[in-house]
């Protein structure tokens, strides 16, 4: 099925062609043509409807922004913990169940969580969809569980899989 070129898709194609030419270092006819061909192919996946197995650009950007904010805030928190003379850590291992429709994104969640200072994934039960996390501050159990659940939901909406699509159809 041929996709029509809408304004949003044209903007995405133009941005991708510009990035393609920037990567090659010059805007030649060959670079523009090959960039346009590649961008047209890729833009059909990026600008499509997330419920049909396409990349959800909005949720993907929110996921990235949330991980970036976590990285900054956690780095500040760990630096503060290191620089203060009092040890206020209350380490804990917690189990965080991942929503069923986001279980195909466990690797992405493991990377996002482990990237954040002060939190590490120590084990994963892929069959049960549970992440086991080490926290420096055990009193943040509930907040961390809610946060990882939010990351999982965003990952599921940003990168829907056939399994998540089948779950939506059954509802």
């Amino acid at each position: 099925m041929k996709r029509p070129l809408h304004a949003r898709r044209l903007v995405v194609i133009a941005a991708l062609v510009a990035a393609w030419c920037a990567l090659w270092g010059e805007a030649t006819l060959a670079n523009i043509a090959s960039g346009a061909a590649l961008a047209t192919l890729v833009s059909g996946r990026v600008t499509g409807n997330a419920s049909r197995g396409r990349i959800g650009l909005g949720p993907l950007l929110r996921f990235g922004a949330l991980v970036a904010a976590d990285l900054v805030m956690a780095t500040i928190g760990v630096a503060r913990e290191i620089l203060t003379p009092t040890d206020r850590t209350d380490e804990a291992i917690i189990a965080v169940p991942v929503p069923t429709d986001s279980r195909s994104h466990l690797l992405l969640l493991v990377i996002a969580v482990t990237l954040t200072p002060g939190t590490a994934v120590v084990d994963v039960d892929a069959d049960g969809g549970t992440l086991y996390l080490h926290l420096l501050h055990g009193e943040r159990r509930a907040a961390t569980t809610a946060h990882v659940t939010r990351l999982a939901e965003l990952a599921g909406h940003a990168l829907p899989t056939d399994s998540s699509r089948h779950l939506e159809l059954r509802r």
Side-chain angles (χ1 to χ4, degrees):
M1 175 187 332
K2 196 171 185 176
R3 277 184 62 116
L5 291 176
H6 296 288
R8 178 179 174 195
R9 188 167 181 214
L10 288 174
V11 170
V12 170
I13 290 172
L16 290 172
V17 169
W20 182 257
C21 289
L23 287 172
W24 283 102
E26 57 186 343
T28 64
L29 184 59
N31 286 344
I32 293 171
S34 62
L38 186 61
T40 302
L41 179 70
V42 171
S43 69
R45 298 292 295 173
V46 173
T47 60
N49 182 351
S51 67
R52 288 189 281 164
R54 303 193 192 286
I55 295 172
L57 192 56
L60 185 61
L61 291 174
R62 285 192 296 277
F63 181 87
L66 190 55
V67 170
D70 289 347
L71 185 59
V72 170
M73 297 305 292
T75 301
I76 292 169
V78 170
R80 186 180 311 133
E81 190 68 47
I82 291 169
L83 296 174
T84 58
T86 309
D87 181 13
R88 296 185 184 157
T89 58
D90 178 26
E91 297 178 52
I93 303 286
I94 65 168
V96 179
V98 175
T100 305
D101 55 340
S102 298
R103 290 189 182 163
S104 57
H105 300 90
L106 283 177
L107 179 60
L108 180 62
L109 294 173
V110 167
I111 292 168
V113 170
T114 303
L115 182 67
T116 308
T119 307
V121 177
V122 293
D123 195 14
V124 176
D125 176 12
D127 295 329
T130 304
L131 298 177
Y132 294 93
L133 309 179
H134 173 267
L135 305 178
L136 279 182
H137 301 284
E139 67 274 2
R140 297 203 29 91
R141 282 181 168 96
T144 301
T145 299
H147 189 73
V148 170
T149 301
R150 176 71 180 138
L151 282 172
E153 289 169 354
L154 284 172
H157 290 298
L159 305 167
T161 61
D162 287 337
S163 62
S164 63
R165 222 174 49 179
H166 293 310
L167 287 172
E168 287 178 12
L169 293 174
R170 283 189 235 156
R171 290 182 189 164

